[in-house]
Amino acid sequence: MPDEGNARPGEGTPSAVPAPETEAQGPSGGPPSAPEKGPPTLKELFHHGLYRRFGTWGLVTLALVSLGFFVQWNWDKVSTLPLLSQLVELLSREKSPPASARKFTVAVAHLENDEGQEYERLIRDTLNGYAGIEVIQVDREVMSKHAVSGERLEAGHARARKYLEKTGADMLIWGTVLQVGGQSTSKLFLTDSLGLNRKHSGRYAPENLSLPSLFWDELEQVLRLRVLTQSADLQAVQGRFAAEKLKPLVEKVRHLLESSEGQGWSVETRASMRVLLADALLRMGTYAGEGQELVAAVAAYRAALAERPRDREPLAWARTQNNLGLVLATLGSKERSRARLEEAVGAFRAALEERTRERGPLEWAQAQNNLALALTTLGKTGEGGAARLEEAVVAHRAALEALPRKREPLYWARIQNELGMTLRLLGERQGSTARLEEAVVAYRATLEEWTQELDPVAWAATQHRLAQTLRLLGEREQGTERLEEAVAVYRTVLRENARERQPLAWSHTQNHLGITLAILGERKQSAALLEEAVEAFQTSLDELKREREPLDWARTHFNLGNTLWMLGESKQSASLRCEALHSHGLAWEVFSGVGAPEAMVSEREVRRERDLLRSQPGSQGLERCLKTYGKRMARRLATLERRGSHHAR
């Protein structure tokens, strides 16, 4: 066996098998050598070059700048992309200027399919010719392009109202341009800021670079609806506040009319606008209680009648005559002018020549009732008053005959109420019990429709008038039945109408209840009824204040004084007589201070009671009164002495 341990290399033994060459070794088995480098990749360039140099935000900025150059270079193609085109349109829109407060402001939107905005420019240029219209541009289209016809219209009006809210304009014109028979025409819509959008549009083709009269007729109708709606909204508001709310509207219509000559409006349209202005002035003057607006309304109605002849538009002419009559009657009542009232009667009679019962029974009935009211106002003053009141009764009854109760129950009740008032005046003027009985029938008919549940205020007022008429009948009759009916009605009104809701009306009802109880107590010789009357007057005075309602306060004190004196005579009470003298003295102070007609009567009563009390012994006479009421009564009596005894005759 060979000795392996002694063998030398290369001698007698095979050489060792070399180890295989690894990748870490060189071909000779030494240490690893570096790999050969190829060209750098895009990732390596990005990481080692741009990223290390600029960072994340720098790269973002560089990308945006590059994108911007690209978009600018290729803008014609990029701008047509769907989403981008809408974004560009939104960002490029101009903000609409605010609406004018003194003029009607009409906003004009872009029209759909209006190449070069030709029609839009025509509309703006035409409207700009009016000094009374402010025109603003809405830099967008209103039509919805993705809905069917009906939906497009409703969606368009909804969008238009949103734009009106933002701009404050009165109305917005929008629409589309159509191709009909090889020619283009516009289909326009008017949307009003009050929601009175026109449900039917018109097609308007240019006529000598202006808009046709049909367009102005549409515009006038929208303006009329604005006036009527705004006036209706103010019906529940009284006084100067309502007038101030109408003033801007009146000013806008005035500006519009001043600029309408030769601007495309027809004579009929301009006449309608004058009537519209007059209607607003009538309401404004009625609310404010001043005559200036009413006088202006008369002038506007007459100008409209001059532009709108009767033979051209008979019914419109009749309506204007009717409204002229209303404003003349209001002025006549306010100014106490018989001339104005006679003019009002003439205007109503003229309206009735065209407003025949056959053409329109309701309008005929309204005109008849308006005539009756003017005649009633005329009948209250001056000579021939009873004859005018008789004419008014005839007109009221003609209106009731033409007006079916079932069709217009509330208006029927209103005419019955006004008939009752006229009959009561006539009954007082003529001393006619029959007329007063007819008035009672009319008031009871009114109350069948004007129920407490429907209208508590109107119900209470009618009940009050019924009670007054029953009292007048009771004064003319020997018995007490009518007076007792009147007391029951007054108490019903007081029970159902709380003092808190209408304090002054409640106070007046208490005063009239006291008057009726005093008459009833005197007729029945009942101290208890007289005491109830005193209580009613004193309760009324709890609400009435001398500073606020001096004449009503004085009249109630005068009535109280009369009743206290009767009660003092009945009970032989010196204190009640003194109290009566005090109340009459307070009433005389107010009446004489303002020169009221009652001054002489109240002064005569104070003198009479003073003289009667002087004739009584000290504790029962004037001396007691002076001790009770002190210096104020003494000064009042001294004033009477200085005025001289001739005032008592």
Side-chain angles (χ1 to χ4, degrees):
M1 175 170 193
D3 186 0
E4 293 179 359
N6 294 325
R8 294 190 296 270
E11 291 185 4
T13 60
S15 60
V17 178
E21 183 176 337
T22 65
E23 292 181 356
Q25 292 177 329
S28 60
S33 59
E36 295 183 8
K37 282 190 176 181
T41 63
L42 182 62
K43 180 178 179 182
E44 289 174 330
L45 285 174
F46 177 82
H47 184 271
H48 294 289
L50 297 177
Y51 181 77
R52 287 183 177 180
R53 177 171 297 181
F54 297 107
T56 302
W57 289 109
L59 291 175
V60 171
T61 304
L62 184 62
L64 291 175
V65 170
S66 302
L67 180 62
F69 279 113
F70 175 80
V71 169
Q72 185 176 9
W73 190 262
N74 299 278
W75 178 249
D76 292 339
K77 296 179 180 180
V78 172
S79 61
T80 60
L81 296 174
L83 293 177
L84 190 58
S85 62
Q86 294 177 16
L87 178 62
V88 169
E89 180 188 358
L90 182 64
L91 294 175
S92 62
R93 287 174 181 171
E94 296 182 4
K95 185 178 180 181
S96 300
S100 170
R102 298 182 68 248
K103 300 180 181 180
F104 275 113
T105 302
V106 180
V108 182
H110 296 322
L111 304 183
E112 185 184 39
N113 303 324
D114 186 13
E115 294 293 336
Q117 299 181 351
E118 176 185 354
Y119 277 83
E120 178 191 340
R121 188 162 47 252
L122 167 65
I123 295 169
R124 290 205 311 270
D125 291 346
T126 304
L127 292 174
N128 278 324
Y130 280 79
I133 292 180
E134 185 82 14
V135 183
I136 62 175
Q137 181 181 6
V138 175
D139 191 19
R140 63 210 69 190
E141 291 182 7
V142 173
M143 294 290 283
S144 174
K145 298 181 179 180
H146 305 292
V148 297
S149 179
E151 294 175 348
R152 292 185 75 191
L153 182 59
E154 293 305 318
H157 281 306
R159 293 182 67 188
R161 280 190 289 272
K162 290 182 180 178
Y163 298 148
L164 287 170
E165 290 176 7
K166 292 178 181 179
T167 61
D170 295 292
M171 62 188 65
L172 188 144
I173 300 174
W174 56 281
T176 185
V177 175
L178 305 173
Q179 295 296 324
V180 180
Q183 293 185 342
S184 62
T185 183
S186 62
K187 186 174 185 180
L188 303 180
F189 300 90
L190 304 182
T191 301
D192 187 271
S193 60
L194 297 179
L196 304 172
N197 46 277
R198 304 289 294 157
K199 293 189 180 298
H200 303 287
S201 65
R203 293 185 179 182
Y204 309 103
E207 294 178 358
N208 300 323
L209 299 180
S210 64
L211 289 168
S213 59
L214 179 61
F215 174 83
W216 300 111
D217 292 343
E218 290 265 330
L219 183 62
E220 181 264 328
Q221 290 181 49
V222 171
L223 294 177
R224 174 173 291 280
L225 284 172
R226 285 185 60 80
V227 173
L228 294 177
T229 302
Q230 191 160 350
S231 298
D233 291 342
L234 295 172
Q235 289 292 338
V237 185
Q238 301 296 324
R240 291 186 174 274
F241 176 75
E244 290 299 319
K245 296 285 284 185
L246 269 176
K247 190 176 290 185
L249 191 64
V250 167
E251 188 173 2
K252 288 180 177 182
V253 177
R254 272 181 171 151
H255 279 298
L256 202 59
L257 274 169
E258 289 170 1
S259 63
S260 65
E261 289 287 345
Q263 293 292 334
W265 282 15
S266 65
V267 173
E268 291 79 8
T269 300
R270 193 160 50 251
S272 295
M273 289 298 294
R274 291 194 191 282
V275 171
L276 185 150
L277 172 63
D279 290 348
L281 285 166
L282 171 58
R283 288 174 171 84
M284 188 174 168
T286 303
Y287 294 144
E290 296 180 355
Q292 183 177 357
E293 288 80 9
L294 297 175
V295 172
V298 169
Y301 281 130
R302 284 179 169 155
L305 287 168
E307 290 183 336
R308 178 188 279 161
R310 176 176 177 176
D311 56 352
R312 185 180 300 171
E313 292 185 78
L315 293 181
W317 179 88
R319 177 188 176 275
T320 306
Q321 286 283 7
N322 181 73
N323 289 1
L324 174 61
L326 289 174
V327 69
L328 286 167
T330 304
L331 265 177
S333 179
K334 179 180 177 59
E335 298 172 351
R336 298 183 179 179
S337 168
R338 291 186 61 83
R340 294 280 198 192
L341 291 168
E342 293 287 0
E343 287 182 273
V345 169
F348 290 132
R349 293 197 192 281
L352 284 165
E353 292 175 9
E354 293 295 342
R355 275 188 172 182
T356 63
R357 182 172 177 176
E358 293 73 25
R359 274 180 171 173
L362 177 58
E363 291 76 13
W364 185 83
Q366 289 172 337
Q368 285 284 1
N369 194 55
N370 291 336
L371 171 62
L373 292 173
L375 288 166
T376 299
T377 308
L378 262 177
K380 290 179 182 178
T381 57
E383 297 180 0
R388 289 301 199 181
L389 292 174
E390 292 282 7
E391 289 182 72
V393 169
V394 172
H396 277 311
R397 286 185 166 147
L400 287 168
E401 183 182 344
L403 188 68
R405 176 177 177 177
K406 291 182 179 180
R407 180 182 171 186
E408 296 285 346
L410 297 183
Y411 190 52
W412 178 89
R414 174 184 162 186
I415 298 175
Q416 285 283 6
N417 180 60
E418 289 160 352
L419 171 63
M421 289 190 284
T422 306
L423 287 165
R424 197 192 86 191
L425 283 171
L426 194 56
E428 289 182 278
R429 181 74 58 89
Q430 297 176 335
S432 170
T433 301
R435 288 302 195 187
L436 293 175
E437 292 282 7
E438 291 176 61
V440 168
V441 172
Y443 287 134
R444 294 197 192 280
T446 302
L447 290 166
E448 292 175 9
E449 297 294 344
W450 280 4
T451 62
Q452 185 181 5
E453 295 76 20
L454 184 66
D455 191 338
V457 175
W459 173 87
T462 308
Q463 289 278 16
H464 187 91
R465 295 186 194 103
L466 171 62
Q468 283 180 299
T469 310
L470 289 167
R471 189 191 79 210
L472 290 171
L473 276 170
E475 289 178 284
R476 287 164 170 74
E477 296 175 354
Q478 295 297 319
T480 61
E481 181 182 354
R482 292 297 197 179
L483 292 171
E484 288 169 351
E485 278 188 82
V487 168
V489 174
Y490 281 131
R491 284 182 167 150
T492 298
V493 174
L494 290 168
R495 185 170 57 251
E496 299 298 332
N497 263 24
R499 175 179 181 177
E500 296 76 17
R501 286 200 295 267
Q502 287 190 296
L504 288 181
W506 179 88
S507 174
H508 292 155
T509 304
Q510 286 283 5
N511 180 52
H512 283 277
L513 172 62
I515 294 170
T516 311
L517 286 167
I519 297 170
L520 193 58
E522 184 181 23
R523 187 166 294 182
K524 285 189 168 186
Q525 297 184 346
S526 168
L529 287 171
L530 291 175
E531 287 172 347
E532 288 183 58
V534 167
E535 183 182 359
F537 290 131
Q538 290 172 339
T539 304
S540 175
L541 288 166
D542 288 342
E543 189 60 47
L544 288 174
K545 303 301 176 187
R546 179 173 180 172
E547 299 77 17
R548 192 174 59 191
E549 301 92 13
L551 287 177
D552 286 339
W553 181 87
R555 289 174 184 131
T556 305
H557 262 293
F558 187 80
N559 295 334
L560 174 60
N562 290 342
T563 309
L564 285 167
W565 188 266
M566 285 192 294
L567 189 58
E569 292 288 289
S570 173
K571 291 188 172 185
Q572 293 297 302
S573 168
S575 63
L576 288 172
R577 293 190 188 108
C578 288
E579 194 175 349
L581 177 61
H582 176 63
S583 281
H584 279 141
L586 291 173
W588 172 69
E589 279 184 350
V590 173
F591 290 145
S592 60
V594 299
E598 298 95 334
M600 186 175 292
V601 175
S602 58
E603 181 179 339
R604 187 183 300 123
E605 197 63 27
V606 171
R607 289 179 182 279
R608 183 185 71 83
E609 291 170 358
R610 177 202 61 186
D611 294 342
L612 287 170
L613 285 165
R614 272 179 177 170
S615 66
Q616 300 295 321
S619 62
Q620 295 296 315
L622 190 59
E623 182 180 339
R624 176 181 182 134
C625 300
L626 291 170
K627 285 182 179 179
T628 303
Y629 293 100
K631 294 181 179 179
R632 186 171 183 180
M633 179 176 282
R635 285 196 300 269
R636 193 181 301 132
L637 295 176
T639 302
L640 281 175
E641 293 290 347
R642 289 193 298 271
R643 289 170 65 89
S645 61
H646 66 279
H647 290 289
R649 297 192 184 98

